């Protein structure tokens, strides 16, 4: 085991300090060190997108970063969206439009799509498709996810969000 | 934890990073965006004992115009290149290539220099930089040297970089007037590795005759494959569809693609013909628009 390195990260507006091995992936750090299990781990080789989180506002694969590299950075995970009682607009749209079945890929989709809608919710079909390109879903066939994103985008435009 | 243990160093200046690299050499691996290296480490295909992280070195991230060249710092992320106005204007082939590279999440983290130094045969930027006559600045603690793109790629994941050297900058000549460009590729799924691809750069003179033509394939061999003479015969002629067809047929006859799990050699050859033709045609169409 190599030397432990102290890491300070801001996750969902809360500061965490932990000592970790350099080889600990950010995805494992979020799940096991911070007990935030909403971030899912699928392929661990950057293909499936289930572990997508936001690093300083940009969607990235948490399995393709080491936790030590996140030192001093801002992280946002799916836990930062809505609660069971009060879903985020995007989560609610996934629910209403059947944007998920098993739900394994959902946190990744949400975290990939949200920065795009937050930058500008007036999205074209092409922008929606591009925002979804880095995430795999084995249940829905993607059509309902696309519908959910459209629905959320419309609500966000109407509600003046973002 | 999937990767093997390593010692982690995160220098904040290039000089510090080069010193560490000189110290550890083959034992060390430099990590840029990590979007190819970390998967390899997760599979334990790569087990460096020292990882030198470049992400804290701000001086390696920039896009600027210097004389008649675009200079791109090695740590400039794909997303920055994709959105940069100088790139769109002066290196439209690179602009076009960016959205074909991996996925948005990978482009948010992956870097321009990292993709080139990694030298994956399926990487768009290998062929694009060769087609654009780019040069790379390689630096070590002992000094620096410039290597042209067409002499940089040695083989699959193998480059001109010595164990103590780092690719720190790419220089790309600004596209002259009446120049057209195109990148064509075919992959099984959106953003998957290309089974084959082609980058074309062409130019037309005032009379509508071809004054320059370059066609470089990727994912056909271990290194970017320049069609060279086969395409140079276009120069001085009007690039008619028939002529383009015969040129790409000649170029394809010289290719020796190999089989792998993604595509057979025969299919790759077929793709090379089709994509090569499309790339040249589209490049000439754009050159014609530029000329007007």
């Amino acid at each position: 085991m190599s030397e432990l390195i102290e890491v300070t990260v801001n996750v969902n507006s809360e500061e965490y300090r932990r000592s970790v091995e350099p080889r600990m992936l950010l995805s494992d750090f979020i799940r096991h060190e911070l007990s935030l299990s909403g971030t899912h781990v699928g392929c661990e080789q950057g293909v499936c997108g289930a572990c997508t989180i936001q690093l300083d506002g940009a969607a990235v694969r948490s399995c393709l970063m080491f936790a030590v590299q996140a030192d001093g950075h801002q992280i946002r995970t799916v836990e930062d969206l809505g609660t069971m009682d009060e879903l985020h607009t995007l989560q609610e749209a996934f629910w209403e439009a059947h944007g998920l079945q098993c739900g394994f890929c959902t946190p990744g989709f949400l975290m990939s799509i949200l920065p795009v809608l937050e930058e500008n919710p007036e999205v074209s079909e092409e922008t929606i498709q591009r925002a979804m390109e880095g995430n795999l879903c084995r249940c829905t066939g993607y059509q309902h996810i696309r519908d959910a994103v459209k629905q959320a985008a419309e609500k966000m435009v109407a509600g003046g969000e973002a | 934890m999937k990767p093997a243990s390593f010692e982690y160093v995160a220098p904040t200046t290039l000089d510090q990073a080069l010193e560490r690299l000189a110290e550890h050499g083959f034992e060390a691996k430099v990590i840029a965006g990590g979007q190819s290296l970390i998967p390899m480490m997760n599979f334990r295909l790569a087990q460096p004992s020292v990882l030198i992280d470049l992400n804290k070195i701000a001086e390696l991230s920039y896009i600027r115009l210097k004389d008649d060249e675009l200079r791109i710092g090695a740590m400039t992320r794909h997303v920055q290149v994709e959105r940069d106005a100088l790139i769109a204007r002066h290196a439209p082939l690179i602009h076009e290539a960016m959205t074909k590279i991996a996925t948005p999440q990978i482009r948010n983290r992956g870097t321009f220099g990292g993709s080139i130094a990694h030298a994956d045969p399926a990487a768009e930027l290998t062929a694009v930089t060769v087609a654009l006559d780019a040069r790379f600045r390689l630096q070590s603690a002992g000094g620096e040297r410039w290597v042209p793109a067409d002499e940089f790629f040695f083989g699959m994941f193998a480059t001109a970089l010595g164990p103590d050297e780092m690719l720190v900058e790419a220089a790309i000549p600004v596209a002259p007037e009446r120049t057209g460009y195109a990148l064509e590729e075919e992959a099984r799924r959106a953003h998957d590795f290309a089974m084959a691809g082609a980058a074309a750069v062409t130019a037309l003179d005032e009379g509508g005759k071809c004054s320059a033509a370059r066609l470089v394939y990727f994912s056909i061999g271990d290194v970017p494959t320049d069609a060279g003479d086969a395409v140079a015969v276009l120069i001085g002629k009007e690039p008619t569809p028939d002529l383009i067809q015969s040129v790409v047929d000649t170029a394809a006859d010289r290719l020796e693609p190999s089989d792998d799990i993604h595509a057979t050699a025969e299919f790759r050859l077929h793709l090379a013909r089709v994509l090569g033709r499309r790339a040249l045609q589209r490049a000439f169409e754009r050159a014609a628009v530029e000329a007007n």
Side-chain angles (χ1 to χ4, degrees):
Chain A
M1 199 168 107
S2 55
E3 213 178 318
L4 296 182
I5 294 182
E6 191 168 284
V7 177
T8 306
V9 283
N10 183 304
V11 182
N12 305 332
S13 308
E14 218 170 294
E15 197 145 291
Y16 295 87
R17 188 171 297 176
R18 298 284 189 279
S19 290
V20 298
E21 270 195 81
R23 64 174 169 153
M24 175 172 273
L25 296 170
L26 181 58
S27 46
D28 290 336
F29 177 81
I30 290 168
R31 290 176 58 83
H32 305 308
E33 294 292 321
L34 309 184
S35 301
L36 295 170
S37 56
T39 299
H40 291 172
V41 170
C43 67
E44 296 191 275
Q45 50 167 306
V47 174
C48 77
C51 70
T52 303
I53 52 118
Q54 287 157 28
L55 177 79
D56 302 327
V60 300
R61 314 277 206 223
S62 61
C63 76
L64 297 189
M65 262 187 83
F66 294 108
V68 288
Q69 298 185 290
D71 183 45
H73 290 271
Q74 306 262 347
I75 285 169
R76 192 181 182 198
T77 68
V78 72
E79 284 86 352
D80 195 46
L81 305 190
T83 61
M84 290 299 276
D85 297 325
E86 199 175 344
L87 294 175
H88 183 280
T89 308
L90 185 59
Q91 289 171 312
E92 191 160 291
F94 265 67
W95 183 24
E96 284 179 5
H98 305 287
L100 68 150
Q101 285 179 33
C102 85
F104 187 85
C105 69
T106 313
F109 270 96
L110 296 173
M111 300 316 282
S112 296
I113 291 160
L114 201 53
V116 177
L117 297 186
E118 282 176 342
E119 191 179 323
N120 180 10
E122 294 188 42
V123 283
S124 64
E125 289 263 348
E126 196 198 336
T127 305
I128 294 176
Q129 191 169 326
R130 290 196 153 268
M132 290 168 48
E133 272 169 351
N135 294 77
L136 294 180
C137 172
R138 294 301 188 215
C139 304
T140 61
Y142 302 101
Q143 310 289 331
H144 290 175
I145 298 179
R146 187 199 53 198
D147 294 346
V149 178
K150 256 198 255 181
Q151 198 182 103
E154 283 163 14
K155 278 189 185 165
M156 287 168 80
V157 171
E161 281 186 50
Chain B
M1 279 175 275
K2 295 198 130 189
S5 288
F6 55 84
E7 184 196 333
Y8 175 78
V9 290
T12 52
T13 68
L14 177 59
D15 285 345
Q16 287 169 8
L18 293 171
E19 273 169 38
R20 298 309 292 260
L21 194 55
E23 189 184 326
H24 299 289
F26 281 115
E27 294 293 300
K29 193 82 188 155
V30 165
I31 184 167
Q35 303 299 285
S36 299
L37 179 58
I38 297 182
M40 290 173 83
M41 292 176 71
N42 285 352
F43 283 122
R44 300 207 176 188
L45 293 169
Q47 300 190 20
S49 40
V50 180
L51 198 64
I52 304 170
D53 190 350
L54 306 184
N55 283 280
K56 288 187 176 158
I57 307 178
E59 65 190 289
L60 287 178
S61 177
Y62 55 85
I63 299 167
R64 60 177 82 112
L65 201 55
K66 192 184 174 195
D67 305 322
D68 283 336
E69 283 180 324
L70 278 167
R71 298 292 184 95
I72 306 177
M75 284 301 291
T76 310
R77 302 203 191 269
H78 292 316
V79 64
Q80 293 170 270
V81 178
E82 185 181 333
R83 294 181 174 189
D84 190 83
L86 280 176
I87 298 283
R89 180 161 170 216
H90 297 298
L93 179 60
I94 292 180
H95 180 73
E96 174 161 304
M98 295 322 288
T99 54
K100 297 181 197 268
I101 297 173
T103 64
Q105 297 92 330
I106 303 272
R107 294 200 296 276
N108 279 339
R109 187 83 189 147
T111 67
F112 195 84
S115 177
I116 292 164
H118 182 59
D120 189 309
E124 290 83 358
L125 290 181
T126 61
V128 163
T129 50
V130 171
L132 291 174
D133 284 324
R135 317 177 286 145
F136 305 132
R137 185 154 62 91
L138 314 189
Q139 210 169 321
S140 67
E144 67 166 48
R145 62 184 175 124
W146 283 92
V147 176
D150 65 359
E151 292 171 22
F152 179 76
F153 302 102
F154 284 6
M156 189 180 284
F157 308 130
T159 68
L161 281 165
D164 62 342
E165 281 182 315
M166 205 183 281
L167 190 160
V168 295
E169 184 180 57
I172 292 118
V174 163
E177 284 178 26
R178 302 170 190 283
T179 299
Y181 58 91
L183 184 85
E184 294 282 348
E185 67 176 40
E186 197 60 42
R188 294 267 181 217
R189 291 161 294 264
H191 299 295
D192 208 340
F193 290 106
M195 293 180 286
V201 180
T202 64
L204 291 170
D205 66 20
E206 287 173 19
K209 300 235 169 41
C210 169
S211 56
R214 196 83 185 266
L215 182 66
V216 183
Y217 302 98
F218 57 99
S219 214
I220 289 286
D222 286 349
V223 292
T225 313
D226 192 336
D229 299 349
V231 168
V233 302
L234 284 164
I235 292 168
K237 295 177 186 139
E238 193 187 328
T240 61
D242 285 349
L243 185 56
I244 290 173
Q245 183 67 62
S246 83
V247 158
V248 294
D249 284 342
T250 310
D253 287 343
R254 298 178 188 176
L255 298 174
E256 290 176 345
S258 49
D259 293 309
D260 64 23
I261 55 164
H262 304 294
T264 62
E266 194 189 349
F267 184 42
R268 281 213 160 88
L269 210 50
H270 168 73
L271 288 174
R273 283 178 206 276
V274 175
L275 300 173
R277 176 174 51 77
R278 284 185 195 160
L280 278 176
Q281 256 168 7
R282 210 151 56 83
F284 278 118
E285 282 163 19
R286 282 179 167 160
V289 172
E290 282 289 306
N292 286 322

